[in-house]
Amino acid sequence: MFLRRLPLLAAAALLLGPIVGPRPAFAGDPSAGKDVFRSECSECHSLREGRNKKGPSLFGIVGRHAGSLPDYRYTDALKQAGWTWTPQKLQWYLSQPARQANPGTRMKYDGLDDAEQRDDLISFLGTLH
């Protein structure tokens, strides 16, 4: 009996989304993204909640409103950006120099040219919650 209902359950899961746990943040490989984080981001950003470095903690970045951590001093440019860090926004932001994406920012980052590495990084960041 259960096996006959399985297609119905699968269809419901597709329509409703996952019942347990979040979806991956992006189509990349989170374990490869951890390596990208180490080489591209870790000098200025922490992964620990509440631990800021030169830049704010990236813990919980996916889905967070830009410039919203209460214990970090953001530039007006980022506080007024008005966006949420979705996987798509992170993909756009990281694909170019930070000062081009958000004029007035203090962030000195030239961007990440490799789209696969961006996917991996964003997927990894999506696991931090």
Side-chain angles (χ1 to χ4, degrees), residues 40-76:
E40 295 288 321
C41 314
S42 65
E43 182 179 330
C44 298
H45 295 279
S46 170
L47 297 176
R48 286 186 28 217
E49 185 174 17
R51 182 168 189 269
N52 300 314
K53 293 169 92 174
K54 290 179 197 175
S57 168
L58 296 184
F59 181 87
I61 184 78
V62 177
R64 184 168 72 209
H65 188 74
S68 65
L69 283 181
D71 58 345
Y72 185 78
R73 191 175 55 87
Y74 293 96
T75 61
D76 288 340

Side-chain angles (χ1 to χ4, degrees), residues 40 92-101 105-114 118:
E40 295 288 321
W92 168 82
Y93 188 85
L94 296 170
S95 69
Q96 59 192 309
R99 291 181 176 176
Q100 180 179 326
T105 189
R106 286 187 303 266
M107 186 168 166
K108 296 176 185 171
Y109 185 67
D110 292 331
L112 184 57
D113 292 333
D114 187 311
R118 286 194 309 268

